[in-house]
Amino acid sequence: MISSILFISMHACMSPSIAARRKTARRVAMAKKKSTSNNLLQCRLKTALCLLAPLLLLAAFFALQLQTLGGVFSPATRPCAAAVDDLVGRLRSLATFHRLKDPREPAAGAWFISALNDTSGGDPDGEARHLVLPSASSSGRLLCVAAPPGVDATYALAWPDALPHGAALRPGLAFVSESPYDYNNLWHGLTALAPFVSWHARSGCRAVPARWALFQRGGARMGMSGWLTSLAEAAMGVEMEVETFRPPLADGPVCFEQALVFRRQMDGLSRERLLAAFDFMRCKARASCGVAGAPATIAGNNGSRDGDAGEPALRVTLLFRRGARAFKDEPAVARVFEKECARVAGCVVTATHTDNLTFCDQVRLMSETDVLVTPHGAQVTNLLFMDRSSSIMEFYPLGWRQRAGGGQFVYRWMASRAGMRHEGSWWDPHGEPCPDSPDILSCYKSRQIGHDEAYFAEWAAKVFAAARERKMIRAVVAPPEERRRGAAAAACDCT
């Protein structure tokens, strides 16, 4: 009993202290829990802010952009846009069209795009005189041309952002050619083509035309002859696209993003550059037609165009014409040259007409020709595809020597510039009289040509012997395969 009373008394005395401690412990625990909860919340808030910060910055950026755009298109800034449109309209109105053929300029080439002087010409690099647009001389303006059918062609210079109303912009590089002669004539077309080929080769073959614009005395032309087109495509490596300036491709003026203009053909083109251009065209044409560059050789006196082992062969080609300036007696002419060829070891003769040969047939035939025997005419232009140092013998009807002037010597000039040998000409001294015509050339220009067996034989003997000797010397100096590889690499090099 006494012990129970003592226990109760002691418990009563100790209870306030224990209760206080327990209460304090509970408070500490609750404080820790609250602190832990607060830390967790702060961590979550920091994570959320890290994730939302970029999104808030992006939203702010777009808000500023929208505000800026809103300012541009606000009523206060609309007068600025109207002022720009007005300025473009004024610049567009400054693109005044002038006649492509300026009647105030009598000199050939000077009246084509007469507002501009040549960008270059007679330079140390030897390129022909030309224009490049846009350029400093054009104040950055493009060349625009209007050439509707039946109307004199006109041109204007216009800024790229202010082209004439209804104008079509042609992207890329345009080759623009002006010639006083017909593009269907092989010789005259070649004189127009040569400066572009030289420019293309000198550019490292990077200056490739997207299109051509062809003009003859200021009038637009729709294309070149098939022979010239094939040659241009072989040299440039792309198909020739000629601007027609007509619907449906063009309903108004045509503006060229870039234009290279040769309006004086080969004027200013140095002899060195022209020779390189001829070599380049020959090489590219042979490559396009799959023609090997190695010369034919012979095994014995009969010779071969197939390239048998032995001494270099002498390959003679009689390239005949039909109609105007054809030989009156082709078989008789052929017999004379075949007889003289038979006297030269390894000589072979091929007689043909160009009108039954394709472009590549002509390239192949001329690549296998050492001596070309042919009347004066466009077919002589094929001498381009002969090897350097090859020979040409040319024939004329009565009247040319007396009246044709310097024009009759164009192939003598071409042979010299292409590294060939023009062996002279024969003018027929005989012919029917010209009735009621004081101009002997107009009467005899398209007449046929006779022959002189004794003169032809003596002439052929000299030319054949000299040509064969030159080939034998070249064969000794440089083996055919080595010479072929070196010539091909140099001629087709785009530098």
Side-chain angles (χ1 to χ4, degrees):
M1 181 70 177
I2 294 173
S3 59
S4 298
I5 293 172
L6 290 173
F7 175 80
I8 293 172
S9 298
M10 291 176 64
H11 180 73
C13 292
M14 296 175 60
S15 291
S17 177
I18 294 172
R21 287 198 299 272
R22 288 179 177 175
K23 188 176 181 179
T24 300
R26 284 197 301 270
R27 288 177 179 175
V28 171
M30 290 178 64
K32 289 183 178 180
K33 184 176 182 182
K34 185 176 181 180
S35 176
T36 301
S37 179
N38 288 338
N39 291 338
L40 182 61
L41 180 60
Q42 291 178 0
C43 183
R44 288 177 178 175
L45 287 174
K46 289 180 180 179
T47 303
L49 288 174
C50 290
L51 294 175
L52 289 174
L55 296 176
L56 291 173
L57 290 174
L58 187 61
F61 172 78
F62 280 112
L64 291 173
Q65 290 294 101
L66 290 173
Q67 184 179 357
T68 302
L69 292 174
V72 170
F73 294 103
S74 66
T77 58
R78 285 175 186 167
C80 294
V84 171
D85 292 339
D86 179 67
L87 178 59
V88 170
R90 290 174 182 270
L91 291 175
R92 184 175 282 115
S93 68
L94 292 177
T96 304
F97 281 85
H98 305 278
R99 289 182 60 181
L100 201 58
K101 182 177 180 180
D102 189 344
R104 299 170 299 176
E105 293 285 352
W111 45 255
F112 189 81
I113 313 180
S114 60
L116 296 176
N117 294 323
D118 292 314
T119 303
S120 179
D123 292 12
D125 63 5
E127 292 296 349
R129 299 170 67 182
H130 60 274
L131 291 171
V132 176
L133 294 109
S135 63
S137 61
S138 72
S139 300
R141 292 173 292 176
L142 310 185
L143 173 65
C144 300
V145 177
V151 179
D152 288 340
T154 58
Y155 78 97
L157 301 177
W159 282 277
D161 296 326
L163 299 180
H165 290 288
L169 179 62
R170 297 290 191 253
L173 175 63
F175 280 179
V176 182
S177 172
E178 158 58 24
S179 173
Y181 304 109
D182 187 0
Y183 288 100
N184 288 317
N185 181 281
L186 302 193
W187 160 249
H188 293 309
L190 184 63
T191 63
L193 181 61
F196 289 102
V197 173
S198 177
W199 180 278
H200 168 74
R202 288 288 307 282
S203 74
C205 297
R206 291 185 295 273
V208 178
R211 58 191 38 80
W212 295 69
L214 306 176
F215 297 92
Q216 181 185 355
R217 297 187 181 276
R221 296 294 178 262
M222 299 300 103
M224 295 182 171
S225 70
W227 188 95
L228 288 165
T229 298
S230 296
L231 179 59
E233 291 178 346
M236 303 297 171
V238 295
E239 291 186 6
M240 173 181 277
E241 179 179 337
V242 178
E243 179 61 54
T244 65
F245 301 99
R246 298 178 180 181
L249 299 178
D251 293 320
V254 171
C255 300
F256 302 107
E257 183 180 26
Q258 293 178 290
L260 171 64
V261 183
F262 284 101
R263 53 186 177 178
R264 307 172 192 268
Q265 296 82 54
M266 296 187 294
D267 185 14
L269 188 63
S270 70
R271 182 165 186 157
E272 178 186 1
R273 293 298 169 214
L274 181 57
L275 178 61
F278 282 153
D279 286 344
F280 186 84
M281 285 187 278
R282 178 188 308 114
C283 181
K284 290 296 185 180
R286 287 180 175 181
S288 177
C289 295
V291 178
T297 55
I298 61 171
N301 290 342
N302 293 331
S304 172
R305 284 182 181 259
D306 298 328
D308 297 332
E311 300 176 11
L314 182 66
R315 303 158 298 180
V316 179
T317 295
L318 309 181
L319 196 58
F320 292 132
R321 292 173 57 95
R322 302 188 195 276
R325 296 191 301 282
F327 285 110
K328 295 177 182 178
D329 191 346
E330 287 182 359
V333 173
R335 284 194 296 271
V336 173
F337 287 97
E338 288 170 352
K339 182 178 179 180
E340 293 306 316
C341 182
R343 301 176 187 273
V344 178
C347 182
V348 292
V349 174
T350 298
T352 188
H353 296 80
T354 57
D355 56 2
N356 55 14
L357 298 177
T358 66
F359 173 78
C360 282
D361 288 339
Q362 295 175 65
V363 173
R364 187 172 296 104
L365 177 65
M366 292 297 103
S367 298
E368 299 173 351
T369 297
D370 301 308
V371 180
L372 176 63
V373 179
T374 186
H376 177 81
Q379 81 286 345
V380 190
T381 314
N382 281 288
L383 69 87
L384 172 68
F385 308 124
M386 299 167 65
D387 288 334
R388 285 197 193 184
S389 298
S390 298
S391 298
I392 297 93
M393 304 171 71
E394 195 172 6
F395 302 80
Y396 299 83
L398 176 68
W400 280 75
R401 190 169 196 170
Q402 296 87 341
R403 299 289 181 130
Q408 64 186 303
F409 301 114
V410 292
Y411 294 113
R412 182 175 300 195
W413 177 89
M414 179 183 175
S416 174
R417 297 302 187 272
M420 315 292 178
R421 299 175 61 90
H422 194 284
E423 303 289 358
S425 305
W426 183 78
W427 289 268
D428 192 345
H430 305 292
E432 298 298 326
C434 291
D436 303 322
S437 175
D439 185 358
I440 192 172
L441 181 61
S442 65
C443 175
Y444 285 111
K445 180 178 180 180
S446 297
R447 292 287 180 91
Q448 294 188 332
I449 305 171
H451 72 282
D452 183 330
E453 182 174 346
Y455 183 87
F456 285 9
E458 181 181 0
W459 187 19
K462 293 179 181 179
V463 172
F464 291 175
R468 186 178 186 279
E469 182 177 0
R470 287 194 301 272
K471 288 201 69 175
M472 292 183 66
I473 292 174
R474 291 199 305 271
V476 172
V477 173
E481 184 63 23
E482 179 182 334
R483 181 155 45 88
R484 181 189 67 81
R485 287 196 302 267
C492 286
D493 186 19
C494 290
T495 57

